[in-house]
Amino acid sequence: MATKDAKPSYEEARDELSEIVESLEDGSATLEESLKLWERGEELAKICQEWLDGAKKKLDAAKKPAKASEEE
Amino acid sequence: MFETSSESPAPVRVVSEAIKDYIDRLGPIWIEGEISELNERSGGMAFMRLRDTSADMSISVMCYKTVLASVQPLPANARVVIHAKPSWFTKNGSLTMSAKEIRQVGVGELLARLEALKEKLALEGLFSADRKIALPRLPRTVGLICGRNTDAEKDVVENARRRWPSVQFEIREVAVQGAAAVVEVTAALAELEANPDVDVIIITRGGGSFEDLLPFSDESLVRLAASCTTPIVSAIGHEKDSPLLDLVADYRASTPTDAAKRVVPDIAQEISDIEKIRDRMYRRLVSTIDYELNQIAQLRNRPVMKDPSVMVTSRRDEIKGWRDRSIRSFASLLEIEKKELKGVRDHLRSLSPQSTMDRGYAVVQLEDGSIVRDASKAKTGTRLRIRVAKGETSATVNE
């Protein structure tokens, strides 16, 4: 698992999240481990979501003025 | 021939006469050039200036009008061959060629010479495609060689500005026909070629007569153009005209407007292209992000993430199961034990003296609990405990 303090890249976060979901589904982890995995999973899902939402917002912001000048 | 010194100089008349004497002895020669000025005075004489077609050199020529009449009317900048003898005019110390005969160099003759030159240059490989230099996509400065205030100039400048408003020009307005054309075009071309900011050079002039366009087939000019490292666009005359400059130019434009189109990109097209690329980039990115958003949503929607309490409840259910099983098995164990106990008790009960006592027997015990089976053991005064079917009592032995 990647260290918690260093913010992972989007791909790292997504891959780790998918691994976590798989090991949670697999059910082999102890409860204590599962709880830790789930917390980490939530955190990673949040990171991914924020990353994508941010990217989309940036794109929309860049697109709007271009569209506006096109209509002029 | 003269012994002169600062103390005994020769007078002008002596010197001039001596020169005349020398020149008069020279015979007539054939000279080719271009007539640039023609002055028919009121008298019987005509004066003209005969220019070299490549270099900036000229000589004056005079002849009887009757000599000139044989070739009249002459086109402007006519190429002629004259048979003339040099004459020295002592009055003003000028040298003039006196022409006895003037022949116009015919178009056929010029064409034949042009064709020969073309073949020679082609053999040298001056026209080959691998010599052509690609035009820059967006030149910093466009060199323009054209006539003064000509439509060709306007066409190039206006069309280039319309396509690319910030286009920079270095314009050299020169003679584009006549004897001065080769000299001036050559000088302008050499200058623009040497200018490091000039990325492309346009040489243009409008349509004209065959003679008008001859300077653009001049060997020295064509060779200079071929040696230039700056790409050259030629737009000379009309499509059908084919001066040799067109063949060495890196691009032959059909018109000045075409030349303008070639040297600068169309800004509207560029903007639209960039917008299209930008749009593609945007759409590509949006679809990537949407795809990833969907991936993340799917991961988040998996039961383990969506309802993490399963993690606890599944274990709680498991514990409850175990607990239930544990309770059930303990209860059944208890039942078995109870049954066993009852059996033991029943057995115990069957072994007890109670039933005997129920029939009226009693058990007599000493105080230490031992049963009295022999009356002699019970001395007078011994305390006895008597157990009957229900309860017990005590007695003391008398005698």
Side-chain angles (χ1 to χ4, degrees), chain A residues 10 14 17-18 21 24-25 29-31 34-35 38 41-42 45-46 48-49 52-53 55-56 59-60 62-63 66 70, chain B residues 275 278-279 281-282 285-286 288-297 299-300 302-308 311-312 315:
Chain A
Y10 171 76
R14 185 201 54 201
L17 173 60
S18 120
V21 170
L24 278 174
E25 282 175 344
T30 66
L31 178 58
S34 296
L35 198 64
W38 172 73
E42 273 300 313
K46 223 176 101 194
C48 288
Q49 191 77 37
L52 293 170
D53 289 345
K56 203 158 189 187
L59 265 183
D60 286 342
K63 187 69 183 168
E70 220 169 62
Chain B
E275 192 48 47
R278 207 172 154 218
D279 202 54
M281 180 178 79
Y282 172 81
L285 223 52
V286 163
T288 304
I289 288 177
D290 284 348
Y291 173 79
E292 291 296 338
L293 275 171
N294 187 34
Q295 292 287 96
I296 297 302
L299 282 172
R300 295 190 98 164
R302 296 268 268 275
V304 282
M305 294 305 291
K306 179 114 177 158
D307 184 14
M311 193 166 63
V312 176
R315 283 179 169 80

Side-chain angles (χ1 to χ4, degrees), chain B residues 25 49 72 75 132 155 182 198 261 351:
Chain B
R25 274 182 272 142
R49 187 148 281 277
Q72 289 282 38
K132 307 286 182 206
D155 282 353
V182 170
V198 174
K261 271 188 196 161
L351 290 177

Side-chain angles (χ1 to χ4, degrees), chain B residues 30 63 67-68 70-71 81-84 98-103:
Chain B
W30 291 94
C63 65
V67 172
L68 193 60
S70 64
V71 290
V81 172
I82 62 172
H83 195 222
S98 303
K100 303 272 178 278
E101 192 181 345
I102 297 179
R103 289 183 200 167

